[in-house]
Each structure stands twice: as structure tokens, then as C-alpha cells.
Amino acid sequence: MTYFSDMKKKVEHIKGKDEVIILGIETSCDETSAAVVRNGREVLGHKIASQIELHKKYGGVVPEIASRKHIEVINPLIDETLDQGGITLKDLDAVAVTNGPGLVGALLVGVATAKALAYGLNIPLIGVHHIEGHISANYIAHQELAPPFISLVVSGGHSHLIWVKDYGQYEILGQTLDDAAGEAYDKIARTLGLGYPGGPIIDKLAKEGDANFVEFPRPNIKEPHYNFSFSGLKTAVINYLHNLDQRGQEYRVEDIAASFQQAVVEVLVNKTIKAAEDIKAKKVVLAGGVAANSALRAQLGQSCQERGIELFYPSPLLCTDNGAMIACAGYYRLMKGDISDLALNAVPGLPLARI
Ligand code: KG4
Ligand code: ZN
């Protein structure tokens, strides 16, 4: 019997258990994270080791440094996570891991670790799509939440509007044609000399600024599709700042931050509401690092409330990359018998094509 056919049988047994415990591993970018989660929704142990301090001086994530740090951190981090949850390796029913999209070297560390554990413990291995993980963070934050809903996934690498028809059933309605929303935040912050990551810093400064100070472009806002484009907005902000500098004109960074943020948020809110109305969805779910943004939460909350739509978002901790969301997504894959074999690979551009 091969490992994979053994595991296919094992899944049937696991499905009948009252308690299913999954280890989730996430290493797709600059966070090394592991979590043990019971029955998909109850977090028993959770550790996140952020590499932000390491990458700060370069103004963004350096892939090679990220991979090396993941290797250093992953094994002790898993031990600490299990200890925190009062779990031993023998208690694990399955291992779930992000296998894409992301930085290939970073992903490989998680994938290799998960494969070794799954093989060594003779338990199922589940490859998880990173975006599916971000969406699933909401199942942990809101125990009653279930599909169908519209999800706006906005992070450093993604800006997607997705119709989640059921667990694991996704229809991508629109996505960014160039920069992701978080990427635009990070680049504007770098231009303003504010540091990395830019999102939280701009979010904070914007609270003290005038959002109507400059009317930056709202790309695609009136177009009938659901795609985003943030590259032109980014260029407009950078050109505006260069112009002011050339004229020796002073400005308040808070006003630029607030005006830029307002342009991003208006586009995101507009498209999300359009999607929810077109599909007649009653629930909207925010996910990804940018889901922590206070203006996005407030303005989308307001627009949803006016239309009788319920809005869900995770805590800031669960918005960023983490192992708990991967364990949760892995649970729902496992329950459908959708497991991986030991040939599972890191796929930097993995498509979310599991409808
Ligand atoms: O999901 P995440 O941790 O990693 C990726 O999968 O990309 O998202 C990180 C991104 C960064 O671009 C960061 O600037 C942005 O999320 N971000 C924010 C906020 N907090 C994090 N953007 C806007 N407002 C925030 N409060
Ligand atoms: Zn992410």
C-alpha cells in the first residue's frame, strides 16, 4: 500500500471522530507560523514569528533572507505551538500547509516540514491555497459563519473579490490587474519614508489627516467589472509628491496618507458592494492583511449596514499570515477527502481554481 491510498482510507476514519486535531503551517512570505486547531474552528495553540524587523531596512521582503529565517525558526516554533496547546505529535490527525501562492523558497520550508511530519506520523497531508486560508480566518473569528458569501481578500500580494459558494468552492469575480492594495500601501509608505510595512503606518497617520486634501484617481470605480488596478493611483501619488518637492512646497504627510487611503478604500468598498448586490449576497467577508485597515472596516461596515448586508472580518492578528487559518482551511478540505500526496510541491503562482 502506498502512503496516499493508506491516507485516503484513514480520512474515512478521521471523518467519524468527535475531535479532529490539525497542525497548520504557514511560511509563504515573512511570517513563520504554526497552529493546532480542533474541529476546524477552535485554536488550541498558535505561534507567529514575524520577520518584519529583519526586512525593514530593505523596505520590503528579501526572499532569500525569508527562506533562511523560516528554516531556523520552524521546528522550535512547532514544538512551542504543540506545548501551548497541550498536544503531542501523536495527537495530530493531519498536517495542513500553505503550498502557494507565495515566495518559492519560503513556501518550500513549510511544505518540506509538513511532508516530513505527515510521512513520519503516517497522517494525511493537506496542501492549502493561501487565499483560502485568509478567507478561513473568518471561520475561526466567527463560529457561526458559513458560506455562501462574498469575500474581499486584500493583502500585500492579492486583491480578489471572490464569491464563496460553499466550503472550498470559489468563483473569482475580479482581481487586481497590477499592484495589490497592500503593495500600494507599502510603496507609498516607502516614498514618504515611513518604513515597512506601510499599511499600519498609513492607517494610523490617515486618522490625523484630511481625506479631501487631494482628489487622487479612483481607478476603475465606474467600470462595470470587478477588477482593481492600483498602479496608476500609486504613480499619481508619487508624481504629486515630486511636484510638491520640486516647488519646495510643504505638506502634511497625514493629509497625503488620508487622501491616498480614501481613494483605495472607496474603490474597494464600491466594488465589493456592487458584487454583493449583483449576486444578492447577504454576507460580506473581509480577509488578508489590509482587512485590518480601520477606514476600510468602517466604510464597508457603513455601506453594508445601509443595505442590510452583514459584514465579517477577523481580528488584526488573524488578518495577517498565520497558521490557524491554514489549519481551518485544511479541516474543510480533509472533511471533503481532498488530501495531498507526498509529491506536493510549492507553487509560487498557484491558482485558486477549485470550483
Ligand atoms: O496578508 P498579509 O499579512 O501578507 C500577504 O499575504 O501579503 O498582508 C500584508 C499586507 C502588507 O502590504 C501591509 O502593509 C498590509 O497588509 N496591511 C495593512 C494594514 N495592516 C497590514 N494595510 C492597510 N491598513 C492596515 N491597517
Ligand atoms: Zn497573506
Side-chain angles (χ1 to χ4, degrees), residues 158-180:
H158 321 279
S159 304
H160 280 61
L161 255 176
I162 300 170
W163 180 15
V164 181
K165 297 176 179 177
D166 199 349
Y167 294 105
Q169 283 192 27
Y170 307 104
E171 183 174 331
I172 298 175
L173 301 173
Q175 56 190 297
T176 185
L177 303 172
D178 38 61
D179 290 2

Side-chain angles (χ1 to χ4, degrees), residues 261-277:
Q261 175 158 285
Q262 192 51 32
V264 174
V265 168
E266 258 179 55
V267 174
L268 293 175
V269 170
N270 233 277
K271 295 282 178 195
T272 308
I273 292 293
K274 176 173 163 49
E277 286 186 329

Side-chain angles (χ1 to χ4, degrees), residues 26 28 130 134 155 158 288-289 319-321 325:
E26 157 64 43
S28 68
H130 187 71
H134 272 305
S155 71
H158 321 279
C319 284
T320 51
D321 293 348
M325 69 187 198

